[in-house]
């Protein structure tokens, strides 16, 4: 029988004493930073996108810190709503289960994994375009410039890692989607979403969404929980 993490969070006064006070510290702080960054983005969208979203390393807009800041950026209300709903729903339970430090590792390493897979796919797409550009292909030049100037942003990859980690620890928990209102076990919930992301990523049927970033985050979440379980350190 695993020993569950005994979480204590005594910071429940003031503004955080209500709804947010019942959310574990790491999950709560990540939520607040995302909301604050979203407000800043709403005030000056162009500046925030240019400096804090992730750009392809060959892009003139690329900065090294974007590897972290991109996962706190969102493009619109429904974008941040979906990600923060997933963070609060799964992250609160996961953090109470594995603890503050391991939870942060899942979140940030899943976000980095999302970035690496997304950028790796971009490199694969860019290489043949460079060859065609050398031959004077104007269409290839336009496509390559699209890669350079298109940002990636959002907590989705990190949240996918959290969802997979949750499903590995609570596989038979029954979850109900908001839309459509379908109930299924957590393990099938995650499997369906990964399947959809893989299919749409390969076929390109849902443009404008970084499907491989979601898959990268999910993979890291899986690997971390599997590693900690194998080493017998998950519950420490």
């Amino acid at each position: 029988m695993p020993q569950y993490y005994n979480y204590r969070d005594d910071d429940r006064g003031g503004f955080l004493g209500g709804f947010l006070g019942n959310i574990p510290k790491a999950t709560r702080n990540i939520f607040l930073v995302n909301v604050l960054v979203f407000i800043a983005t709403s005030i000056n969208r162009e500046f925030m996108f240019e400096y804090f979203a992730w750009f392809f390393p060959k892009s003139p807009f690329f900065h090294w810190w974007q590897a972290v800041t991109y996962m706190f950026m969102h493009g619109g209300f429904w974008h941040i709503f979906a990600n923060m709903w997933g963070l609060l729903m799964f992250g609160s339970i996961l953090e109470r289960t594995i603890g503050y430090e391991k939870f942060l590792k899942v979140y940030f390493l899943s976000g980095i994994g999302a970035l690496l897979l997304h950028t790796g796919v971009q490199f694969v797409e860019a290489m043949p375009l460079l060859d065609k550009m050398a031959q004077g292909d104007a269409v290839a030049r336009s496509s390559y410039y699209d890669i350079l100037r298109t940002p990636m942003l959002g907590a989705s990859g990190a949240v996918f890692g959290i969802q997979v980690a949750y499903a590995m620890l609570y596989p038979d928990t029954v979850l109900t989607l908001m839309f459509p209102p379908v109930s299924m076990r957590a393990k099938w919930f995650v499997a369906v979403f990964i399947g959809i992301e893989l299919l749409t990523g390969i076929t390109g049927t849902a443009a404008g969404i970084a499907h491989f970033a979601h898959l990268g985050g999910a993979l890291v979440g899986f690997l971390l929980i599997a590693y900690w379980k194998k080493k017998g350190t998950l519950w420490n």
Side-chain angles (χ1 to χ4, degrees):
M1 181 82 179
Q3 296 297 313
Y4 286 83
Y5 182 75
N6 184 19
Y7 190 90
R8 287 180 59 97
D9 186 358
D10 297 325
D11 182 14
R12 298 180 183 276
F15 172 72
L16 298 178
F19 169 70
L20 292 179
N22 295 320
I23 300 171
K25 186 179 295 183
T27 304
R28 182 178 68 210
N29 290 341
I30 290 171
F31 172 81
L32 289 173
V33 172
N34 273 280
V35 171
L36 291 174
V37 171
F38 180 70
I39 293 172
T41 303
S42 301
I43 295 172
N44 194 333
R45 183 182 180 92
E46 184 176 346
F47 172 82
M48 294 296 291
F49 271 44
E50 180 176 341
Y51 285 95
F52 300 112
W54 171 260
F55 283 91
F56 190 65
K58 294 291 185 179
S59 171
F61 303 115
F62 170 78
H63 300 286
W64 63 266
W65 59 78
Q66 294 168 351
V68 175
T69 58
Y70 94 91
M71 64 184 83
F72 294 97
M73 295 280 296
H74 291 87
F77 173 78
W78 292 112
H79 189 197
I80 190 172
F81 176 83
N83 282 337
M84 294 304 98
W85 176 81
L87 172 69
L88 296 178
M89 179 177 178
F90 299 101
S92 297
I93 298 173
L94 182 65
E95 184 180 350
R96 288 191 174 99
T97 303
I98 66 175
Y100 178 86
E101 292 184 3
K102 282 191 173 69
F103 176 81
L104 288 178
K105 289 179 181 178
V106 172
Y107 185 86
F108 284 103
L109 291 179
S110 293
I112 296 299
L115 177 151
L116 291 175
L117 186 56
H118 171 79
T119 305
V121 171
Q122 284 188 312
F123 269 111
V124 171
E125 293 173 341
M127 292 305 294
L129 295 177
L130 290 173
D131 292 337
K132 293 179 181 179
M133 285 171 58
Q135 300 170 12
D137 191 322
V139 175
R141 181 180 299 275
S142 176
S143 297
Y144 181 71
Y145 286 159
D146 282 342
I147 292 175
L148 296 185
R149 63 176 176 247
T150 302
M152 181 184 74
L153 64 162
S156 304
V159 172
F160 259 74
I162 288 172
Q163 291 175 341
V164 169
Y166 173 93
M168 292 180 69
L169 298 178
Y170 301 102
D172 294 321
T173 301
V174 177
L175 305 173
T176 301
L177 299 175
M178 290 191 297
F179 182 82
V182 176
S183 296
M184 65 184 75
R185 297 183 188 274
K187 58 187 177 183
W188 299 121
F189 174 89
V190 169
V192 167
F193 272 83
I194 289 176
I196 292 173
E197 291 298 322
L198 182 60
L199 178 63
T200 52
I202 292 174
T203 60
T205 52
I209 300 176
H211 301 289
F212 288 102
H214 299 167
L215 294 172
L219 177 61
V220 172
F222 171 82
L223 292 175
L224 284 173
I225 297 300
Y227 174 77
W228 287 328
K229 278 187 172 182
K230 183 176 181 180
K231 299 291 288 185
T233 60
L234 180 61
W235 312 106
N236 293 344

